[in-house]
Amino acid sequence: MIPAPFDYLAPTSVEEALAALAEHGDDAKVLAGGQSLLPVLRMRLNAPEMVIDLGRIEALRGVRDDGDAIVVGAMTPHSVVASDPLVAEHAGLVSRAVEHLADAQIRHRGTFGGALAHADPAGDLGAPALALGAQFVIAGQGGTTRTVEADDFFVDLFETAIGEDELLTEVRLPKHTGWGAHYEKFVRVAHQWPIVAVAAAVKAESGTITEARVGLTNMGSTPLRARAVEEALRGQPATEDAVREAASRAAEGCTPPSDLNGDADYRRHLATVLTRRAVLAAAGA
């Protein structure tokens, strides 16, 4: 199908983009790579009067080291994030997840911030960002900025803490240098959205898990932390039996969806199995 007619604006600064959002309000949509928005426009599930393309704002691109965090610009393509040595060294869980994200074409066109702002609970980046305790820097009108913790960023299905007249400008990934990391994803068809996926970062010393962070993909209306698993793993040996016992708590507090890909009980089973695999791989066991 062909999208409904719309006007197009490609600002070159965050200030210009924010001014356009303030002017057009609900009639505007932000294009941040377009791998989710363009199919929606083609199917006419949304018909904005104005599309604001952030692709020419160079200030929103790139990866940098900022002391205790790695900062990723919102318009940085997935392919750049996947190949960046800083991300690989200090936020390896994100590197692992991006490797599994869709296909090479989408990884070159889609953007890190665009995917997170889209907030699809089946997206591959929400759970790693949540597990690592990412911080989201949001720019607003009048030059204001605010930082939102990952726990507060994902509000509901396709809904985040970004206001209608605000933009996500960068994502801060706290350094987890030396942690093991693994992203375990279950799909029926290659490059498909995961039915369930698990993001695990594990700090182990002398065969003992001292700390763990586990995020769940597609187990609710937002990405979720498997906090019961994290608590159960702390201080335990990185063995098959200990991890299996902790992973049995993966679905606690989750309300997974039921659809053509499986019912809620099936997803709970997958969460348990994938958590065990992800944690063992991250721990190097």
Side-chain angles (χ1 to χ4, degrees):
M1 294 181 65
I2 299 174
F6 58 82
D7 291 326
Y8 174 83
L9 179 66
T12 57
S13 70
V14 172
E15 293 75 18
E16 187 182 351
L18 287 169
L21 278 175
E23 178 181 354
H24 297 282
D26 293 341
D27 294 327
K29 278 290 182 182
V30 172
L31 181 67
Q35 302 309 293
S36 298
L37 178 61
L38 292 180
V40 168
L41 296 183
R42 285 199 299 268
M43 291 185 288
R44 298 202 177 195
L45 298 176
N46 201 306
E49 295 182 5
M50 171 65 72
V51 171
I52 303 170
D53 185 353
L54 305 183
R56 296 184 184 177
I57 305 179
E58 289 300 321
L60 296 181
R61 295 178 182 271
V63 179
R64 72 179 192 274
D65 190 324
D66 189 27
D68 60 352
I70 300 301
V71 181
V72 182
M75 288 297 293
T76 306
H78 300 306
S79 58
V80 173
V81 176
S83 62
D84 189 274
L86 289 173
V87 177
E89 181 180 0
H90 301 294
L93 184 54
V94 170
S95 293
R96 304 293 189 280
V98 175
E99 291 172 359
H100 291 273
L101 193 152
D103 55 33
Q105 181 177 356
I106 288 176
R107 289 194 293 272
H108 277 80
R109 294 294 301 173
T111 64
F112 191 70
L116 288 166
H118 184 55
D120 188 332
D124 288 304
L125 296 183
L130 187 64
L132 293 182
Q135 296 177 315
F136 297 81
V137 181
I138 299 170
Q141 302 298 318
T144 62
T145 61
R146 60 191 181 99
T147 301
V148 178
E149 300 292 334
D151 287 340
D152 301 317
F153 181 76
F154 300 103
V155 176
D156 206 343
L157 186 71
F158 298 108
E159 183 182 352
T160 70
I162 305 171
E164 293 182 358
D165 60 348
E166 295 180 318
L167 289 174
L168 176 66
T169 58
E170 60 186 30
V171 181
R172 299 179 57 85
L173 302 171
K175 289 182 178 179
H176 286 71
T177 314
W179 288 49
H182 188 76
Y183 188 68
E184 189 76 16
K185 175 177 176 177
F186 183 78
V187 298
R188 289 202 174 106
V189 179
H191 310 311
Q192 189 184 44
W193 298 110
I195 298 173
V196 174
V198 176
V202 174
K203 185 178 182 181
E205 297 178 2
S206 301
T208 298
I209 297 173
T210 58
E211 195 170 352
R213 287 175 167 265
V214 181
L216 305 177
T217 299
N218 216 14
M219 284 294 289
S221 60
T222 67
L224 299 170
R225 281 275 295 278
R227 297 186 186 276
V229 175
E230 296 173 357
E231 293 171 4
L233 287 170
R234 193 173 297 115
Q236 296 299 311
T239 62
E240 174 82 25
D241 289 343
V243 172
R244 183 186 298 274
E245 176 64 26
S248 67
R249 305 182 63 182
E252 287 186 10
C254 297
T255 54
S258 294
D259 54 31
L260 294 176
N261 288 317
D263 62 16
D265 288 338
Y266 178 55
R267 281 191 162 90
R268 292 188 184 96
H269 168 71
L270 285 176
T272 299
V273 173
L274 299 182
T275 297
R276 173 174 54 83
R277 293 177 182 174
V279 170
L280 284 171

